[in-house]
Amino acid sequence: QVQLVESGGGLVKPGGSLRLACAASGFTFSNYWIYWVRQAPAKGLERVSSINSNGDGNYADSVKGRFTISRDNAKTTVYLQMNSLKPEDTGAYYCARVESKGGWHIDYWGQGTQVVVSS
């Protein structure tokens, strides 16, 4: 079955860095786009970044220049390198698989990993 497992969250001071990982299994990983989506406390979901099957990344304006998405198809893992972290980056970070059949939509989510940026 499809599984997405995030790791790498934690507590970091403003200006610090974290690298999140999303380990995927149960499907042909290289064929799929993957999103990183976050939810800040008491706020809605925000798509932070996406990566296509070719490894091309896209970013929300709020993280552009600070976050870098990448994928290792051999390890079936997507990474999110987060630098220059700000308190407003605090939230639960989820990776999600994007299905193109029947229209672009997220069909599987990971369980999430918590990121707290605080001094």
Side-chain angles (χ1 to χ4, degrees), residues 2-69:
V2 173
Q3 283 194 309
L4 300 166
V5 180
E6 300 95 334
S7 61
L11 172 64
V12 64
K13 293 182 179 179
S17 298
L18 284 174
R19 188 175 82 151
L20 306 184
C22 170
S25 61
F27 62 101
T28 306
F29 176 77
S30 58
N31 289 353
Y32 287 84
W33 287 52
I34 300 291
Y35 288 170
W36 280 102
V37 179
R38 71 182 177 191
Q39 185 165 30
K43 291 191 176 180
L45 295 171
E46 178 188 19
R47 190 177 75 197
V48 172
S49 184
S50 62
I51 189 164
N52 65 16
S53 53
N54 292 329
D56 302 315
N58 208 289
Y59 304 92
D61 287 343
S62 57
V63 306
K64 203 170 289 185
R66 300 188 297 121
F67 290 12
T68 303
I69 193 170

Side-chain angles (χ1 to χ4, degrees), residues 53-117:
S53 53
N54 292 329
D56 302 315
N58 208 289
Y59 304 92
D61 287 343
S62 57
V63 306
K64 203 170 289 185
R66 300 188 297 121
F67 290 12
T68 303
I69 193 170
S70 61
R71 68 191 296 157
D72 185 333
N73 288 338
K75 295 183 178 179
T76 64
T77 300
V78 172
Y79 302 97
L80 186 68
Q81 178 67 43
M82 307 188 296
N83 298 329
S84 302
L85 282 162
K86 305 175 180 180
E88 52 263 43
D89 294 317
T90 293
Y93 283 70
Y94 302 90
C95 63
R97 190 183 85 162
V98 182
E99 174 61 71
S100 59
K101 297 174 185 175
W104 288 91
H105 62 280
I106 290 173
D107 61 352
Y108 288 94
W109 294 82
Q111 85 289 349
T113 187
Q114 190 69 30
V115 171
V116 178
V117 184

